Amino acid sequence: MFLHYVLDLWVEAWRKRHAKGDVIIVRYADDFVMGFREESDARRCLQALRERFAKFGLELHPEKTRLIQFGRYAAERRSERGLGPPETFDFLGFTHICGKTRKGDFTIRRISASKKMRNKLQELKQSLRRTMHMDLAQVGSWLSSVYRGWCNYHAIPGNYDRLQQFRTAIQGFWLRTLRRRTQRGRRLTWQKFSRLTRHWLPTPRILHPYPEVRFARLYPR
């Protein structure tokens, strides 16, 4: 609610008064991304935004705040200047990448952010160690709920490899944990273990539609 006044309403006013081209903003809590058609607008808005935040005792995160060239023509324009591929950015747990469809059209690829995924897996690894001697069904039920919750959020088009990587990592952590439980557990084979994972950690699948399909449902013509 506070940022609605400090940021949202201010951006709307700034866009009408100062922008030469299109300006968009997407915000969730205190994280936001802004897009500008004109680079000059982006630079002027960034400076004005720093001054705006300072009035309320706030500041933009120094490591997360940056200007990048991104979008439909970014790769072409950077190539003309002898630069590498467009930079990427992380937002709401996903890394956003300039890409192309199989037909060669521009698209934004979104994959689970590596840092977020590593942190989640490390958290699960530590939790599994603490549950080493708990009932197997109880651990499986808990692990399944965590796994399904992560997949429900990350199961977007183009992110299947990350889903599989997440599942494979959990399987490895769980298998090593079970083998440490007892001498009998050390004889647990992958074949036996795979029956557990098929039940508690089923193969992931994409659950969400492409953005254009989702928006078409929300805003039918």
Side-chain angles (χ1 to χ4, degrees):
M1 293 177 63
F2 184 61
L3 279 180
H4 178 65
Y5 172 73
V6 175
L7 178 63
D8 301 342
L9 297 180
W10 178 86
V11 168
E12 183 66 23
W14 189 93
R15 172 168 43 197
K16 293 178 180 179
R17 296 175 185 172
H18 304 289
K20 297 178 181 179
D22 295 335
V23 178
I24 63 171
I25 180 171
V26 179
R27 180 174 72 84
Y28 182 83
D30 59 351
D31 287 332
F32 62 95
V33 173
M34 297 185 68
F36 300 83
R37 192 186 68 183
E38 303 293 335
E39 181 179 345
S40 60
D41 284 346
R43 296 190 178 279
R44 287 186 295 108
C45 186
L46 178 58
Q47 180 58 38
L49 193 55
R50 287 195 173 106
E51 296 172 0
R52 172 70 174 177
F53 271 37
K55 291 181 180 179
F56 296 89
L58 303 172
E59 63 177 356
L60 298 172
H61 196 292
E63 297 180 3
K64 293 182 178 180
T65 304
R66 57 195 175 101
L67 291 175
I68 66 171
Q69 191 172 28
F70 192 91
R72 187 178 303 276
Y73 307 107
E76 178 182 346
R77 290 171 179 171
R78 287 177 62 85
S79 178
E80 292 173 352
R81 295 159 57 190
L83 301 175
E87 295 181 67
T88 65
F89 67 92
D90 290 353
F91 185 56
L92 302 183
F94 293 100
T95 298
H96 294 68
I97 307 166
C98 289
K100 290 185 177 181
T101 66
R102 294 179 180 178
K103 295 181 179 180
D105 299 326
F106 172 77
T107 187
I108 297 178
R109 292 182 54 226
R110 296 175 296 158
I111 62 174
S112 301
S114 297
K115 183 178 180 180
K116 292 281 188 180
M117 186 166 143
R118 284 196 303 269
N119 290 344
K120 186 62 178 179
L121 287 172
Q122 187 62 30
E123 176 188 323
L124 283 173
K125 183 178 180 181
Q126 297 301 324
S127 297
L128 276 171
R129 287 178 178 176
R130 291 192 293 269
T131 63
M132 182 182 299
H133 300 292
M134 292 177 58
D135 178 73
L136 185 60
Q138 185 178 356
V139 176
S141 178
W142 161 75
L143 195 57
S144 177
S145 67
V146 175
Y147 168 71
R148 291 176 185 274
W150 196 89
C151 286
N152 285 343
Y153 182 79
H154 289 265
I156 63 173
N159 197 39
Y160 187 77
D161 287 347
R162 281 285 201 262
L163 299 179
Q164 282 284 31
Q165 290 169 13
F166 189 76
R167 180 177 185 259
T168 299
I170 295 177
Q171 286 177 319
F173 295 154
W174 197 14
L175 178 59
R176 287 192 290 273
T177 300
L178 290 176
R179 283 176 171 172
R180 291 192 184 104
R181 289 177 63 166
T182 62
Q183 291 294 327
R184 182 181 178 183
R186 290 193 178 94
R187 294 196 298 272
L188 179 64
T189 64
W190 179 260
Q191 183 177 8
K192 293 179 179 178
F193 178 70
S194 64
R195 290 197 291 269
L196 290 177
T197 59
R198 283 197 297 270
H199 179 70
W200 297 114
L201 304 173
T203 301
R205 59 190 181 90
I206 299 301
L207 301 175
H208 304 293
Y210 283 93
E212 58 267 27
V213 175
R214 184 173 68 254
F215 292 144
R217 293 174 181 173
L218 293 174
Y219 308 105
R221 295 181 178 180

